[in-house]
Amino acid sequence: MSRLMPKKLITESNPKSPISEGYRMLRTNIEFSTIDQKLQVIMVTSSKPNEGKSTTCANMAVAFAQANKRVLLIDADLRKPSQHHIFGTSNRIGLTSALFKQKLLQEVIQSTNTQNLSIIHAGPTPPNPSELLSSMHMADLLATIRELFDVIIIDTPPILSVTDAQIVATYSDGVVLVVDSGTVKKDIALKAKASLEHVNAKIIGAVLNNINRNQSDSYSYSYYYGE
C-alpha cells in the first residue's frame, strides 16, 4: 500500500497543547454524555464544507485511541474524501470496495501509525453514494464492525449539502456537529441541527472551530458543548 506524506495531527505532534486537551475534553464529554445508551458509533458532520470536520474526526479518533480504546475511523464522505490525505495512505480501496463486495472487510481495514487506531478509507467514488450508504450492505457492515471495535467514528459529508449524512445518522448512536465559529451564521447551524433532528439523530454536542481565544492567539481550537 503506497503512502503519502501525512498531515500532522495536533493530538499526536503536540499532545500537551491546549488544542489536544480540547480533544481529550471532547472525548470525555462524549463518554459521559449518556448513561442509558452506549455511544459506540459516532458520526461527525458539519453544515457546509471547509469547517474542519475531517480534521476533527481524525483528532477525535486519535484521542480515543490514546485512551486504549480499539478505534475505527471510517471515511464515509464518498464524494469528497480526505482522511487518506490526513493519514498519508492510499484511497485505492476502502468502504465502497467492501460495499460493492469487491474486497473483504478485513482487506479494507488499514492500520495507522497510531496504536489502537485503524481506518477504512472511502475508496473509489461510486456513481450512487446515497443509495450505497442506505443499502443493507452498509447496515450489515456496521453490525459486523461493532463486534470488532470499541469506538467507531464516521466522517460524513456536510449535512446541508447532500442526504448522505442523514442516512448515516440513522445507523449512529450519536452525532457531533462541527461548526466554524468564524464563518457559519446561527441560522445555518440551526438548519443543520434541524436536518439531523428530521431523521431522529441523537445530537450529542457541537465542536466549535477557529475560536479566537484572545487577540494574540488565533489558531484553531475545538470545544465541546453537550446538549
Side-chain angles (χ1 to χ4, degrees), residues 2 20 29 42 55 59-60 68 111 122-123 145 148 197 221:
S2 62
S20 295
N29 282 321
I42 304 164
T55 300
N59 280 293
M60 278 178 57
N68 294 319
S111 61
I145 287 172
L148 302 175
E197 291 172 338
Y221 183 73

Side-chain angles (χ1 to χ4, degrees), residues 159-160 177 188-198 203 227:
I159 188 71
L160 298 181
L177 181 64
I188 298 298
L190 290 175
K191 186 176 180 181
K193 181 173 181 286
S195 295
L196 290 166
E197 291 172 338
H198 181 70
I203 304 172
E227 285 194 317

Side-chain angles (χ1 to χ4, degrees), residues 58-189:
N59 280 293
M60 278 178 57
V62 171
F64 273 103
Q66 288 172 339
N68 294 319
K69 304 287 187 180
R70 294 173 300 165
V71 182
L72 178 67
L73 173 59
I74 302 176
D75 193 342
D77 191 341
L78 304 183
R79 302 168 194 265
K80 193 178 179 181
S82 59
Q83 292 299 336
H84 61 291
H85 294 302
I86 294 174
F87 284 90
T89 48
S90 171
N91 192 45
R92 185 175 57 83
I93 62 171
L95 181 60
T96 57
S97 309
L99 294 178
F100 279 124
K101 302 296 183 179
Q102 297 169 337
K103 296 289 183 180
L104 298 175
L105 176 59
Q106 56 264 37
E107 292 180 286
V108 301
I109 298 177
Q110 299 184 41
S111 61
T112 70
N113 292 329
T114 300
Q115 187 177 4
N116 301 319
L117 175 60
S118 300
I119 189 167
I120 296 180
H121 291 303
T125 303
N128 54 346
S130 297
E131 290 83 357
L132 198 59
L133 291 171
S134 62
S135 67
M136 283 302 301
H137 291 321
M138 180 66 175
D140 291 343
L141 181 142
L142 283 175
T144 300
I145 287 172
R146 281 179 180 269
E147 301 298 320
L148 302 175
F149 294 90
D150 300 317
V151 179
I152 301 148
I153 298 174
I154 307 179
D155 185 2
T156 66
I159 188 71
L160 298 181
S161 299
V162 289
T163 62
D164 301 14
Q166 286 181 306
I167 293 168
V168 177
T170 64
Y171 301 122
S172 305
D173 302 325
V175 176
V176 173
L177 181 64
V178 176
V179 179
D180 189 316
S181 63
T183 62
V184 175
K185 297 185 182 300
K186 182 179 179 179
D187 61 327
I188 298 298

